[in-house]
Amino acid sequence: MPNHSLNDTHIGSVSIYLDSSKASVVQNDSDNSNCLFYLDNIIQCPPDTHILIGLTACQIPVAFYNITNNNNQLTIQGSINGTTNITLPPQNYNTETLVTEINSQLATAGNNITCSFNSSTYKFTFSSLTQSIQIQNTTMNKELGIPPFTIFPPSSSFTSPNMCNLSGTQSIYVMVNNLSIQSLDSRARGDLNGVLSKVDVCCGFGDYIEFQQTENQFYLISDRSISHFNVSLTDDNLELLKMNGIDWSISLTCHFSKKRLPVILNDFLLEGENTREEEIKGNKLLKDLEKQEKKVKSKK
């Protein structure tokens, strides 16, 4: 029997509990954020029904760093000491440890450029007493407050135009890549992808995100059967999260809905036109009867 308001068929809804520690295949090793789960019992629906799928709960630990291999590069050039390529080791940084690491690598490279942080403006400054400097490239745009694809002229001191942001990813996007889930995503320039739900990161590093669905957010998919789930967890930049070997779990629910015939607007238009034609014919008939009555009266 149906067990949800979205389920209007004789088929019972199905709950699926997926734990990354029990995944059939982990496709990105210790990063542990792209997993395949094969089902022993395939989920199928009859020809006259659709499948609705949604994320109903999840438990995801905040085990990912704010600086990873995707956002840890900085290239800075001095007019005397040349170019220095800085690569931060992936880990969690605050403003103090970030400044310390950047200055350490600049000193090791023999480049007398220093990085500092203003706690009143929340901006980083790079400066030198002996040479002009230029930020040539970086993948830490958000973290350092440097707008992407912006070239700044050389100067003795450079202050980031924007405030720094070391909060890391703001949301986790739970994606099911093997199903026909149609969701628009600005991370993919408005293209369709398989995002099943966006889960806000509302706790600190080392804590667990406890998510439970508070509204009916289900996607109607065109798939007639489901034999497996390819689940991936991605960040604000559409990059796979690096979970550092820590496991996570999610709960999915499938409901079933009857197929309905599409309503064709032309049918209503034609019906309206026919009704109008009948009204015109009826009015004409009344006018003809009135004329005949007048003729009869005039003869008398």
Side-chain angles (χ1 to χ4, degrees), residues 146-161:
I146 299 174
F149 312 113
T150 305
I151 299 176
F152 298 96
S155 70
S156 60
S157 179
F158 168 79
T159 299
S160 301

Side-chain angles (χ1 to χ4, degrees), residues 12-68:
S13 300
V14 180
S15 295
I16 306 102
Y17 306 105
L18 304 176
D19 191 313
S20 64
S21 65
K22 304 297 190 296
S24 306
V25 180
V26 178
Q27 301 191 104
N28 59 342
D29 300 322
S30 63
D31 288 346
N32 199 34
S33 56
N34 190 7
C35 299
L36 281 171
F37 301 88
Y38 289 100
L39 305 179
D40 291 335
N41 299 308
I42 297 176
I43 300 171
Q44 294 181 314
C45 65
D48 61 339
T49 63
H50 292 295
I51 298 177
L52 299 169
I53 187 169
L55 177 74
T56 47
C58 71
Q59 294 79 38
I60 303 175
V62 182
F64 36 88
Y65 301 140
N66 62 354
I67 297 294
T68 69

Side-chain angles (χ1 to χ4, degrees), residues 173 183-193 195 236 238:
Y173 296 79
S183 52
L184 295 174
D185 191 347
S186 62
R187 300 177 306 157
R189 298 182 180 179
D191 199 3
L192 295 170
N193 61 16
V195 174
D236 293 331
L238 203 55

